Amino acid sequence: MNNSVTNTARLLWAGLRALLVLTLVTGVIYPLVVTGIAQGLFSDQANGSEIKADGKVVGSSLIGQSYNLPLEKGQETSEPDLKWFQGRPQNGLGTNSVNTRYSLILSGATNRSADNKDLVDWVTAAKAAVVKDNSVNGYTVKPSEVPADAVTSSGSGLDPDISPQYADIQVHRVAEKNGLPVDRVEKLVDDHTEGRTLGFMGEPRVNVLELNTALRELLAKS
C-alpha cells in the first residue's frame, strides 16, 4: 500500500513538474522571445503598421478609410469629400448587414456572379459617379479610363490601396478642390506609388491613407 501511494505521489509530482515546465516554456518564454524578435526586427508590422500625422495615430496602412462628408438631415448615405483622394468602394459593392462603412466588425465580399443584375447596376452607377466626380474644368474622364478597382470593392471590403490609374484620374479634381497646381498633386501620387513586392508579386499600388496624409501636410504648408 505504501509503495502504491509513493508511486502515485511520484507520478503526480512528475506530471506537475512537466506542466510547470511546459507552461513556463510555451506560455512565458516562447511568447516573450517571439515578441522580442517581432519588436526588434518588425516593430512597425508588430504594432499594427500605424500611420501618424501631427504626432497622432490616424490609422493603419493595412486598412482602408472612408473620406466622406458628414451626413446631412434626411441622408442615409454620406457623400464623398472630393477634396481628398477616394479609396475603393467600401459599401455599395461590399455591403452586408454589419460592415457598411469599415466598421471592422465584419468584412467580406459580395459573392455575386459577374452577370448578377445588382452587381452590374452597382458597377454602372459607380463608373458614372467616378466619371462625373473627377471631370473638372479642362479635364474629362472617359468611361474607358475608369479602372476596375474604382468601381468594385476588394474581397475583404477593407483594401487600403488603389491602382496608380485610379489615383491619376483623381489628380485634377483634388488639385482643383484644394487650389493646388496639378503637377504638385501628380508628384504626391508618384512619390506614394509602390511597385510590385520584390519586383514580381502583386500589382503597383497607392496607399490612400498615406497619400491623403501627405496631401494634408502639403496643404498645411501652402
Side-chain angles (χ1 to χ4, degrees):
M1 179 65 70
N2 290 336
N3 288 338
S4 177
V5 172
T6 301
N7 288 335
T8 300
R10 287 176 178 173
L11 289 173
L12 288 173
W13 175 235
L16 180 60
R17 282 185 298 175
L19 175 62
L20 292 173
V21 170
L22 288 172
T23 299
L24 179 63
V25 172
T26 62
V28 180
I29 296 176
Y30 177 74
L32 288 176
V33 170
V34 172
T35 300
I37 292 174
Q39 290 294 335
L41 299 179
F42 310 101
S43 60
D44 180 56
Q45 294 89 334
N47 291 308
S49 301
E50 298 172 338
I51 294 178
K52 294 183 178 181
D54 299 324
K56 299 178 180 179
V57 176
V58 294
S60 169
S61 63
L62 303 177
I63 300 174
Q65 293 188 12
S66 57
Y67 289 86
N68 294 334
L69 295 169
L71 274 174
E72 294 184 0
K73 187 175 181 180
Q75 278 188 323
E76 294 184 359
T77 304
S78 299
E79 297 291 331
D81 189 344
L82 296 179
K83 72 178 183 179
W84 304 107
F85 284 93
Q86 298 294 313
R88 298 186 68 170
Q90 72 272 21
N91 43 30
L93 306 187
T95 295
N96 53 53
S97 60
V98 179
N99 179 32
T100 59
R101 290 188 64 199
Y102 287 150
S103 61
L104 303 185
I105 297 174
L106 180 67
S107 66
T110 60
N111 292 325
R112 287 176 168 82
S113 62
D115 60 352
N116 179 273
K117 184 180 183 305
D118 289 338
L119 182 62
V120 172
D121 290 344
W122 289 335
V123 169
T124 302
K127 178 175 287 191
V130 170
V131 170
K132 178 178 178 292
D133 290 343
N134 293 286
S135 294
V136 297
N137 292 329
Y139 179 79
T140 301
V141 177
K142 299 176 182 177
S144 60
E145 296 174 333
V146 179
D149 62 295
V151 296
T152 58
S153 63
S154 64
S156 68
L158 305 174
D159 195 340
D161 303 318
I162 58 175
S163 65
Q165 291 80 10
Y166 187 25
D168 287 341
I169 66 174
Q170 298 186 62
V171 164
H172 286 76
R173 183 252 298 162
V174 171
E176 182 180 274
K177 294 290 184 180
N178 290 286
L180 293 170
V182 170
D183 59 346
R184 295 188 70 181
V185 182
E186 286 178 337
K187 187 175 187 307
L188 276 185
V189 172
D190 291 340
D191 290 345
H192 289 84
T193 299
E194 299 180 46
R196 291 180 171 87
T197 303
L198 299 179
F200 67 94
M201 291 191 295
E203 295 293 332
R205 59 200 180 277
V206 181
N207 187 283
V208 179
L209 177 55
E210 292 179 349
L211 180 59
N212 279 334
T213 299
L215 174 61
R216 188 187 299 275
E217 292 174 355
L218 177 60
L219 291 171
K221 297 176 182 177
S222 300

